[in-house]
Amino acid sequence: MVTIGSSGLVSQIMSGFTITYSRALRLGDFVKVGDVEGRVIHLGVLSTKIKTLRNEDVTIPNAVVVAQTTTDYSGFGDSDGVFIPTSVTIGYNTPWRQVHALLLEAAARTEGIRNDPKPIELQVSLEDFYDGVQVMSPNYMVDPAAPKIVARKDWFAAPAESVLPSPKS
């Protein structure tokens, strides 16, 4: 039993040395290990502690850290910057151009976000709605009282009018 138990301990210690001496992680780095994302607050011989954005203190055994895919968002952050995607969802009756403009405005007002290269917004899907046609599948529950579309006159409501180019009519 001592041999079986000690092999796990040796694995943890060797993983701790690997993390430390390969400089895979450093204190203060913002990382994602498996499905845990947060700031490294402790690098120990047996485990790594990460503080999540929800102020959760997560302890991950070093053998798991070494075995998992680890993303270090801070690695090139000082020199090259880091692309950090986020996603938002909006209702059918919300002018998407206005949402794009609001996202760009929020990025411009956020401390630490570079102006060069400029932040971008990227719409990757339209889900159940496209080009003025409401498609109610696969989440059909009931017909709405009125169509959930944005009137053409509202397509470039502020702040979209000042940030996004409007099409020539």
Side-chain angles (χ1 to χ4, degrees):
M1 290 225 281
V2 172
T3 304
I4 293 171
S6 65
S7 68
L9 182 62
V10 170
S11 172
Q12 295 295 345
I13 292 171
M14 293 308 294
S15 297
F17 287 140
T18 301
I19 292 168
T20 302
Y21 292 112
S22 69
R23 290 186 169 84
L25 300 176
R26 295 175 307 211
L27 285 177
D29 281 358
F30 191 83
V31 300
K32 181 175 182 180
V33 178
D35 61 350
V36 177
E37 193 172 73
R39 191 154 310 278
V40 176
I41 59 171
H42 176 75
L43 288 170
V45 174
L46 300 176
S47 64
T48 297
K49 285 192 178 197
I50 297 175
K51 183 176 184 179
T52 70
L53 294 174
R54 295 184 206 167
N55 286 331
E56 300 163 327
D57 208 8
V58 180
T59 302
I60 305 172
N62 284 333
V64 173
V65 174
V66 170
Q68 293 279 326
T69 298
T70 301
T71 304
D72 187 348
Y73 296 108
S74 304
F76 296 107
D78 296 338
S79 59
D80 298 336
V82 178
F83 176 76
I84 300 179
T86 188
S87 62
V88 297
T89 58
I90 59 174
Y92 295 132
N93 56 347
T94 305
W96 63 264
R97 290 168 186 89
Q98 188 176 33
V99 174
H100 287 210
L102 288 168
L103 290 170
L104 291 172
E105 191 174 313
R109 292 181 180 185
T110 302
E111 186 178 326
I113 293 183
R114 296 180 176 179
N115 292 325
D116 185 31
K118 292 182 107 176
I120 62 168
E121 44 74 32
L122 178 64
Q123 184 172 333
V124 295
S125 66
L126 293 170
E127 300 299 324
D128 297 328
F129 180 86
Y130 181 71
D131 199 23
V133 178
Q134 184 173 356
V135 180
M136 298 302 288
S137 63
N139 299 319
Y140 182 82
M141 292 176 69
V142 66
D143 288 328
K148 300 280 187 189
I149 62 173
V150 178
R152 188 175 194 95
K153 67 179 180 59
D154 296 327
W155 282 8
F156 290 93
E161 63 190 6
S162 63
V163 178
L164 299 173
S166 61
K168 295 183 174 134
S169 301

